[in-house]
Amino acid sequence: MPLVSMRQLLDEAAKGGYGVGAFNVNNMEQIQAIMEAARETKSPVIVQASRGARAYTNDKFLYHLMLAATELYPEIPMVLHQDHGNSVETCKSAMAMGFTSVMMDGSLMADGKTPSSFEYNVSVTREVVEAAHAKGITVEGEIGCLGGIEDGHGAGGDALAHLTDPDQAVEFVRLTGVDALAIAIGTSHGAYKFTRKPTGETLKMDRLIEIHRRLPNTHLVMHGSSSVPKDLQDIINQYGGKLKPTWGVPIEEIQLGIKNGVRKINVDTDSRLAITGAIRKVFFEKPEEFDPRSYLKPAREAMEKVVAQRMTQFGQAGHAGDYTPIPLEEMAKRYRLQHLAS
Ligand code: G3H
Ligand code: 13P
Ligand code: ZN
Protein backbone atom coordinates (compact mmCIF):
# COMPACT_ATOMS: atom_id res chain seq x y z
CA MET A 1 0.00 0.00 0.00
CA PRO A 2 1.39 3.47 -0.78
CA LEU A 3 1.92 5.98 2.02
CA VAL A 4 -1.42 7.60 2.83
CA SER A 5 -2.50 11.07 3.87
CA MET A 6 -2.86 11.56 7.62
CA ARG A 7 -6.06 13.52 7.05
CA GLN A 8 -7.75 10.45 5.60
CA LEU A 9 -6.45 8.23 8.38
CA LEU A 10 -7.69 10.63 11.09
CA ASP A 11 -11.05 11.20 9.38
CA GLU A 12 -11.52 7.43 9.41
CA ALA A 13 -10.51 7.29 13.08
CA ALA A 14 -13.09 9.98 13.88
CA LYS A 15 -15.77 8.01 12.02
CA GLY A 16 -14.82 4.88 13.95
CA GLY A 17 -14.42 6.69 17.30
CA TYR A 18 -10.86 5.50 17.89
CA GLY A 19 -7.39 7.00 18.30
CA VAL A 20 -4.20 6.29 16.35
CA GLY A 21 -0.76 6.12 17.96
CA ALA A 22 2.02 8.09 16.27
CA PHE A 23 5.25 6.29 17.01
CA ASN A 24 8.70 7.80 16.55
CA VAL A 25 11.34 6.10 14.44
CA ASN A 26 15.10 6.51 14.21
CA ASN A 27 16.33 3.20 12.80
CA MET A 28 15.40 -0.06 11.10
CA GLU A 29 14.57 -1.96 14.28
CA GLN A 30 12.01 0.66 15.36
CA ILE A 31 10.31 0.68 11.95
CA GLN A 32 10.20 -3.11 12.01
CA ALA A 33 8.76 -3.13 15.54
CA ILE A 34 5.95 -0.73 14.57
CA MET A 35 5.10 -2.56 11.34
CA GLU A 36 5.06 -5.97 13.04
CA ALA A 37 2.82 -4.57 15.78
CA ALA A 38 0.54 -3.12 13.09
CA ARG A 39 0.34 -6.46 11.29
CA GLU A 40 -0.27 -8.36 14.52
CA THR A 41 -3.11 -6.02 15.54
CA LYS A 42 -4.33 -5.15 12.00
CA SER A 43 -3.81 -1.44 12.65
CA PRO A 44 -3.37 1.61 10.44
CA VAL A 45 -0.18 3.42 11.53
CA ILE A 46 1.43 6.82 11.82
CA VAL A 47 5.20 6.62 11.75
CA GLN A 48 6.85 9.89 12.68
CA ALA A 49 10.36 11.28 12.45
CA SER A 50 11.67 14.19 14.46
CA ARG A 51 14.30 16.55 13.09
CA GLY A 52 16.78 14.65 15.23
CA ALA A 53 15.70 11.37 13.62
CA ARG A 54 16.12 12.82 10.14
CA ALA A 55 19.61 14.05 11.00
CA TYR A 56 20.50 10.70 12.62
CA THR A 57 19.40 8.67 9.58
CA ASN A 58 20.50 11.22 7.01
CA ASP A 59 16.97 11.31 5.53
CA LYS A 60 17.62 8.87 2.70
CA PHE A 61 18.00 5.81 4.90
CA LEU A 62 14.83 6.71 6.75
CA TYR A 63 12.80 7.28 3.60
CA HIS A 64 13.95 4.07 1.96
CA LEU A 65 13.19 2.11 5.11
CA MET A 66 9.67 3.53 4.90
CA LEU A 67 9.38 2.49 1.26
CA ALA A 68 10.52 -1.00 2.26
CA ALA A 69 7.77 -1.01 4.88
CA THR A 70 5.10 -0.12 2.28
CA GLU A 71 6.31 -3.03 0.12
CA LEU A 72 6.56 -5.54 2.94
CA TYR A 73 3.30 -4.60 4.69
CA PRO A 74 0.96 -3.87 1.76
CA GLU A 75 -2.14 -4.38 3.92
CA ILE A 76 -1.26 -1.57 6.37
CA PRO A 77 -2.26 2.07 5.66
CA MET A 78 0.79 4.06 6.72
CA VAL A 79 1.46 7.76 7.21
CA LEU A 80 4.97 9.20 7.24
CA HIS A 81 4.82 12.32 9.44
CA GLN A 82 7.30 15.06 10.32
CA ASP A 83 7.22 15.41 14.11
CA HIS A 84 7.76 18.95 15.52
CA GLY A 85 8.83 20.75 12.35
CA ASN A 86 10.54 23.86 13.74
CA SER A 87 10.32 25.98 10.58
CA VAL A 88 8.64 26.29 7.20
CA GLU A 89 11.88 25.00 5.62
CA THR A 90 11.90 21.82 7.72
CA CYS A 91 8.31 21.08 6.70
CA LYS A 92 9.00 21.83 3.04
CA SER A 93 12.04 19.53 2.98
CA ALA A 94 9.94 16.73 4.51
CA MET A 95 7.26 17.27 1.84
CA ALA A 96 9.88 17.25 -0.91
CA MET A 97 11.16 13.92 0.39
CA GLY A 98 7.75 12.24 0.32
CA PHE A 99 6.30 12.66 3.82
CA THR A 100 2.48 12.57 3.67
CA SER A 101 2.00 14.74 6.75
CA VAL A 102 3.92 17.47 8.57
CA MET A 103 3.71 19.16 11.93
CA MET A 104 4.52 22.86 11.89
CA ASP A 105 5.21 23.52 15.55
CA GLY A 106 4.98 27.29 15.53
CA SER A 107 4.11 27.39 19.22
CA LEU A 108 7.85 27.73 19.73
CA MET A 109 10.37 29.73 17.78
CA ALA A 110 12.73 27.87 15.41
CA ASP A 111 15.04 27.06 18.34
CA GLY A 112 12.35 24.67 19.65
CA LYS A 113 12.50 26.27 23.11
CA THR A 114 11.24 29.84 23.10
CA PRO A 115 7.46 30.32 23.19
CA SER A 116 6.38 32.35 20.15
CA SER A 117 3.63 34.91 19.64
CA PHE A 118 0.18 33.91 18.37
CA GLU A 119 0.79 35.99 15.23
CA TYR A 120 4.08 34.23 14.46
CA ASN A 121 2.46 30.85 14.98
CA VAL A 122 -0.44 31.68 12.66
CA SER A 123 1.84 33.07 9.98
CA VAL A 124 4.29 30.13 9.74
CA THR A 125 1.54 27.53 10.11
CA ARG A 126 -0.58 29.16 7.40
CA GLU A 127 2.37 29.18 5.03
CA VAL A 128 2.91 25.46 5.60
CA VAL A 129 -0.82 24.72 5.18
CA GLU A 130 -0.88 26.47 1.81
CA ALA A 131 2.17 24.61 0.52
CA ALA A 132 1.09 21.25 1.95
CA HIS A 133 -2.57 21.28 0.92
CA ALA A 134 -1.58 22.15 -2.66
CA LYS A 135 0.11 18.73 -2.65
CA GLY A 136 -2.59 16.90 -0.68
CA ILE A 137 -0.34 16.67 2.38
CA THR A 138 -1.78 16.95 5.91
CA VAL A 139 -0.77 19.58 8.46
CA GLU A 140 -0.73 19.42 12.25
CA GLY A 141 -0.30 22.68 14.17
CA GLU A 142 0.23 23.36 17.86
CA ILE A 143 -1.24 25.99 20.11
CA GLY A 144 0.00 26.30 23.69
CA CYS A 145 3.36 24.74 24.63
CA LEU A 146 4.30 21.41 26.19
CA GLY A 147 6.43 21.47 29.31
CA GLY A 148 9.97 20.18 29.74
CA ILE A 149 13.14 20.63 27.77
CA GLU A 150 14.45 17.15 28.44
CA ASP A 151 14.61 16.30 24.75
CA GLY A 152 15.05 19.78 23.35
CA HIS A 153 11.36 20.35 22.58
CA GLY A 154 9.31 22.29 25.06
CA ALA A 155 8.95 25.61 26.76
CA GLY A 156 10.64 24.82 30.06
CA GLY A 157 10.07 22.94 33.28
CA ASP A 158 6.51 23.98 34.08
CA ALA A 159 4.05 22.02 31.96
CA LEU A 160 1.17 24.17 33.21
CA ALA A 161 2.73 27.50 32.21
CA HIS A 162 1.51 27.54 28.60
CA LEU A 163 -1.73 25.58 28.54
CA THR A 164 -3.86 25.94 25.41
CA ASP A 165 -6.43 28.70 25.61
CA PRO A 166 -9.69 27.44 24.04
CA ASP A 167 -10.51 30.84 22.45
CA GLN A 168 -7.07 30.97 20.85
CA ALA A 169 -7.44 27.38 19.65
CA VAL A 170 -10.68 28.26 17.82
CA GLU A 171 -9.10 31.35 16.26
CA PHE A 172 -5.94 29.44 15.32
CA VAL A 173 -7.86 26.74 13.46
CA ARG A 174 -9.97 29.34 11.65
CA LEU A 175 -6.94 31.38 10.57
CA THR A 176 -4.66 28.50 9.54
CA GLY A 177 -6.90 25.71 8.24
CA VAL A 178 -4.85 22.98 9.96
CA ASP A 179 -6.12 19.40 9.74
CA ALA A 180 -5.05 18.45 13.26
CA LEU A 181 -4.30 20.44 16.38
CA ALA A 182 -1.83 19.60 19.13
CA ILE A 183 -2.84 21.10 22.46
CA ALA A 184 -1.04 21.64 25.75
CA ILE A 185 -2.88 20.14 28.74
CA GLY A 186 -0.02 19.57 31.20
CA THR A 187 2.04 16.88 29.48
CA SER A 188 5.70 17.08 28.54
CA HIS A 189 8.07 14.98 26.46
CA GLY A 190 10.31 12.34 27.99
CA ALA A 191 10.17 10.08 31.04
CA TYR A 192 9.75 12.75 33.75
CA LYS A 193 6.24 14.09 33.23
CA PHE A 194 4.67 13.85 36.68
CA THR A 195 6.13 13.24 40.15
CA ARG A 196 3.04 11.25 41.15
CA LYS A 197 0.00 9.82 39.38
CA PRO A 198 -1.52 12.85 37.63
CA THR A 199 -4.74 14.35 38.93
CA GLY A 200 -7.04 16.96 37.38
CA GLU A 201 -4.67 19.54 38.83
CA THR A 202 -1.68 18.40 36.78
CA LEU A 203 -3.27 16.79 33.71
CA LYS A 204 -6.00 19.09 32.45
CA MET A 205 -8.47 16.75 30.77
CA ASP A 206 -11.24 19.28 31.47
CA ARG A 207 -9.37 21.73 29.21
CA LEU A 208 -9.22 19.12 26.46
CA ILE A 209 -12.94 18.43 26.75
CA GLU A 210 -13.68 22.15 26.52
CA ILE A 211 -11.50 22.53 23.39
CA HIS A 212 -13.26 19.59 21.75
CA ARG A 213 -16.63 21.12 22.59
CA ARG A 214 -15.54 24.32 20.84
CA LEU A 215 -13.83 22.54 17.90
CA PRO A 216 -15.85 19.34 17.37
CA ASN A 217 -14.57 18.87 13.80
CA THR A 218 -10.85 19.31 14.45
CA HIS A 219 -8.72 16.25 15.10
CA LEU A 220 -6.94 16.77 18.42
CA VAL A 221 -3.42 15.52 19.09
CA MET A 222 -1.95 14.57 22.46
CA HIS A 223 1.83 14.94 22.62
CA GLY A 224 3.96 13.67 25.47
CA SER A 225 1.58 10.74 25.84
CA SER A 226 3.85 7.92 26.88
CA SER A 227 2.52 6.13 29.94
CA VAL A 228 6.03 5.40 31.30
CA PRO A 229 4.84 2.09 32.80
CA LYS A 230 6.37 0.95 36.06
CA ASP A 231 7.28 -2.49 34.67
CA LEU A 232 9.42 -0.93 31.93
CA GLN A 233 11.10 1.38 34.46
CA ASP A 234 11.75 -1.60 36.74
CA ILE A 235 13.48 -3.66 34.04
CA ILE A 236 15.88 -0.81 33.32
CA ASN A 237 16.65 -0.30 37.01
CA GLN A 238 16.89 -4.03 37.71
CA TYR A 239 19.69 -4.30 35.15
CA GLY A 240 21.84 -1.40 36.25
CA GLY A 241 19.81 1.61 35.07
CA LYS A 242 19.19 4.66 37.23
CA LEU A 243 15.74 6.03 36.42
CA LYS A 244 14.20 8.18 39.13
CA PRO A 245 10.60 7.40 40.18
CA THR A 246 8.22 8.98 37.68
CA TRP A 247 4.71 8.87 36.21
CA GLY A 248 3.46 9.19 32.65
CA VAL A 249 0.00 9.69 31.17
CA PRO A 250 -2.38 6.93 32.38
CA ILE A 251 -4.01 4.94 29.56
CA GLU A 252 -7.48 5.65 30.95
CA GLU A 253 -6.87 9.42 30.56
CA ILE A 254 -5.82 8.90 26.94
CA GLN A 255 -8.97 6.83 26.41
CA LEU A 256 -11.02 9.65 27.90
CA GLY A 257 -9.29 11.97 25.41
CA ILE A 258 -10.19 9.64 22.54
CA LYS A 259 -13.85 9.89 23.59
CA ASN A 260 -13.39 13.66 23.34
CA GLY A 261 -11.84 14.25 19.92
CA VAL A 262 -8.26 13.00 20.35
CA ARG A 263 -7.30 11.13 17.18
CA LYS A 264 -3.49 11.14 17.25
CA ILE A 265 -1.49 10.11 20.30
CA ASN A 266 2.28 10.66 20.25
CA VAL A 267 4.42 7.98 21.86
CA ASP A 268 8.19 7.81 21.82
CA THR A 269 9.45 7.41 25.39
CA ASP A 270 7.65 4.09 26.01
CA SER A 271 9.43 2.62 22.97
CA ARG A 272 12.78 3.96 24.21
CA LEU A 273 12.21 2.45 27.66
CA ALA A 274 11.26 -0.94 26.20
CA ILE A 275 14.32 -1.03 23.95
CA THR A 276 16.73 0.06 26.66
CA GLY A 277 15.39 -2.42 29.22
CA ALA A 278 15.76 -5.33 26.80
CA ILE A 279 19.31 -4.37 25.83
CA ARG A 280 20.35 -3.88 29.46
CA LYS A 281 18.97 -7.31 30.33
CA VAL A 282 21.10 -9.04 27.67
CA PHE A 283 24.20 -7.08 28.65
CA PHE A 284 23.66 -7.97 32.29
CA GLU A 285 22.80 -11.64 31.85
CA LYS A 286 25.20 -12.44 29.00
CA PRO A 287 28.22 -10.18 29.34
CA GLU A 288 30.09 -12.44 26.94
CA GLU A 289 27.74 -11.49 24.03
CA PHE A 290 28.98 -9.08 21.39
CA ASP A 291 26.82 -9.80 18.33
CA PRO A 292 24.50 -6.76 18.03
CA ARG A 293 21.70 -9.05 16.85
CA SER A 294 21.70 -10.79 20.21
CA TYR A 295 20.46 -7.60 21.92
CA LEU A 296 18.75 -5.75 19.05
CA LYS A 297 16.35 -8.63 18.40
CA PRO A 298 14.98 -8.67 21.98
CA ALA A 299 14.96 -4.86 21.88
CA ARG A 300 12.83 -4.93 18.72
CA GLU A 301 10.50 -7.50 20.29
CA ALA A 302 10.11 -5.43 23.46
CA MET A 303 9.18 -2.35 21.42
CA GLU A 304 6.76 -4.37 19.28
CA LYS A 305 5.04 -5.57 22.44
CA VAL A 306 4.48 -2.09 23.88
CA VAL A 307 3.42 -0.64 20.50
CA ALA A 308 0.93 -3.48 19.92
CA GLN A 309 -0.46 -2.90 23.42
CA ARG A 310 -0.94 0.81 22.70
CA MET A 311 -2.59 0.09 19.33
CA THR A 312 -5.12 -2.10 21.11
CA GLN A 313 -5.65 0.41 23.94
CA PHE A 314 -6.12 3.33 21.52
CA GLY A 315 -8.68 1.34 19.49
CA GLN A 316 -6.95 1.41 16.10
CA ALA A 317 -6.53 -2.39 16.18
CA GLY A 318 -8.64 -4.17 13.58
CA HIS A 319 -9.08 -1.08 11.35
CA ALA A 320 -6.26 -1.57 8.82
CA GLY A 321 -8.58 -2.97 6.17
CA ASP A 322 -11.42 -0.47 6.52
CA TYR A 323 -10.50 1.77 3.59
CA THR A 324 -8.36 2.22 0.51
CA PRO A 325 -5.95 5.16 0.37
CA ILE A 326 -7.07 8.31 -1.41
CA PRO A 327 -4.19 9.47 -3.66
CA LEU A 328 -2.57 12.74 -2.58
CA GLU A 329 -3.60 14.40 -5.89
CA GLU A 330 -7.23 13.69 -5.02
CA MET A 331 -6.68 15.08 -1.50
CA ALA A 332 -5.21 18.24 -3.09
CA LYS A 333 -8.32 18.58 -5.27
CA ARG A 334 -10.56 18.26 -2.21
CA TYR A 335 -8.62 20.98 -0.37
CA ARG A 336 -8.94 23.25 -3.44
CA LEU A 337 -12.70 22.75 -3.59
CA GLN A 338 -13.01 23.26 0.17
CA HIS A 339 -11.03 26.47 -0.13
CA LEU A 340 -13.22 27.77 -2.99
CA ALA A 341 -16.37 26.99 -0.99
CA SER A 342 -15.18 28.90 2.10
O1 G3H B 1 9.24 15.24 20.18
C1 G3H B 1 9.77 14.42 20.86
C2 G3H B 1 10.13 13.07 20.39
O2 G3H B 1 10.26 12.25 21.51
C3 G3H B 1 11.37 13.09 19.52
O3 G3H B 1 12.51 13.28 20.24
O4 G3H B 1 13.93 14.97 19.05
O5 G3H B 1 14.93 13.29 20.61
O6 G3H B 1 14.07 12.59 18.38
P1 G3H B 1 13.93 13.55 19.53
P1 13P C 1 6.63 10.99 24.84
O1 13P C 1 7.97 11.54 25.24
O2 13P C 1 5.66 11.04 25.96
O3 13P C 1 6.73 9.64 24.24
O4 13P C 1 6.04 11.98 23.72
C1 13P C 1 6.45 11.88 22.38
C2 13P C 1 6.00 13.02 21.54
O5 13P C 1 5.15 13.82 21.90
C3 13P C 1 6.63 13.16 20.22
O6 13P C 1 6.19 14.28 19.53
ZN1 ZN D 1 5.71 15.95 20.76
Side-chain angles (χ1 to χ4, degrees):
M1 196 177 280
L3 290 168
V4 307
S5 125
M6 189 165 83
R7 176 61 191 257
Q8 183 189 10
L9 188 133
L10 298 184
D11 284 350
E12 289 289 338
K15 266 191 247 163
Y18 58 91
V20 182
F23 301 98
N24 286 75
V25 294
N26 296 271
N27 60 25
M28 181 183 76
E29 283 76 10
Q30 289 184 308
I31 291 177
Q32 290 174 326
I34 297 166
M35 297 315 296
E36 279 299 306
R39 175 164 283 167
E40 185 190 323
T41 60
K42 300 185 172 47
S43 296
V45 286
I46 302 169
V47 174
Q48 60 185 9
S50 67
R51 274 196 305 142
R54 287 179 57 192
Y56 180 76
T57 55
N58 190 13
D59 274 359
K60 280 277 175 221
F61 279 114
L62 175 79
Y63 187 62
H64 285 272
L65 284 168
M66 291 312 305
L67 291 186
T70 61
E71 283 176 28
L72 292 169
Y73 300 84
E75 79 281 20
I76 304 294
M78 187 193 337
V79 168
L80 178 51
H81 174 77
Q82 167 75 59
D83 190 23
H84 291 283
N86 66 319
S87 64
V88 174
E89 291 65 40
T90 299
C91 293
K92 284 191 173 167
S93 68
M95 292 184 225
M97 201 168 87
F99 282 49
T100 56
S101 178
V102 293
M103 175 185 192
M104 176 63 237
D105 183 356
S107 73
L108 299 172
M109 300 300 290
D111 65 3
K113 292 184 176 65
T114 313
S116 66
S117 68
F118 180 76
E119 292 69 27
Y120 168 88
N121 195 356
V122 168
S123 144
V124 288
T125 307
R126 220 193 134 80
E127 191 177 339
V128 170
V129 168
E130 277 163 17
H133 284 184
K135 295 184 162 76
I137 295 169
T138 311
V139 181
E140 173 185 340
E142 175 164 329
I143 186 85
C145 307
L146 291 219
I149 47 167
E150 190 186 322
D151 60 359
H153 306 279
D158 185 357
L160 300 173
H162 302 277
L163 295 176
T164 304
D165 173 74
D167 290 336
Q168 272 201 348
V170 171
E171 198 54 4
F172 183 77
V173 169
R174 187 181 72 78
L175 292 171
T176 60
V178 289
D179 302 279
L181 183 68
I183 56 172
I185 53 166
T187 67
S188 43
H189 291 128
Y192 300 104
K193 302 181 194 304
F194 304 105
T195 52
R196 56 183 67 83
K197 190 170 180 211
T199 63
E201 291 305 304
T202 47
L203 179 61
K204 302 281 188 184
M205 295 308 292
D206 51 349
R207 180 76 59 121
L208 183 148
I209 291 167
E210 170 64 6
I211 295 168
H212 176 55
R213 195 184 64 76
R214 304 277 306 276
L215 286 169
N217 300 319
T218 300
H219 302 308
L220 299 181
V221 183
M222 273 175 78
H223 280 248
S225 289
S226 278
S227 298
V228 196
K230 174 99 170 42
D231 59 332
L232 292 184
Q233 296 179 43
D234 287 348
I235 295 175
I236 292 181
N237 287 339
Q238 185 184 344
Y239 296 107
K242 282 206 168 79
L243 293 177
K244 292 171 283 186
T246 179
W247 272 261
V249 183
I251 295 295
E252 60 273 19
E253 302 291 357
I254 297 174
Q255 289 170 336
L256 174 66
I258 293 168
K259 288 199 180 80
N260 288 281
V262 171
R263 298 293 157 231
K264 174 172 180 276
I265 304 107
N266 282 21
V267 174
D268 186 4
T269 298
D270 284 352
S271 305
R272 294 178 177 192
L273 294 171
I275 287 172
T276 300
I279 290 178
R280 279 192 172 279
K281 185 167 188 289
V282 175
F283 283 177
F284 188 86
E285 288 178 344
K286 298 181 186 159
E288 72 285 3
E289 271 293 356
F290 59 88
D291 179 344
R293 291 169 297 191
S294 71
Y295 51 88
L296 292 178
K297 191 161 178 284
R300 186 171 64 189
E301 284 163 3
M303 175 166 165
E304 179 187 335
K305 190 169 158 215
V306 73
V307 170
Q309 212 174 28
R310 296 290 172 270
M311 287 171 163
T312 305
Q313 292 161 331
F314 300 161
Q316 73 205 81
H319 289 286
D322 290 0
Y323 47 94
T324 46
I326 302 169
L328 291 187
E329 303 74 50
E330 170 61 23
M331 290 303 296
K333 206 157 90 192
R334 292 184 188 189
Y335 285 124
R336 261 197 312 277
L337 291 174
Q338 200 180 303
H339 188 67
L340 289 175
S342 66

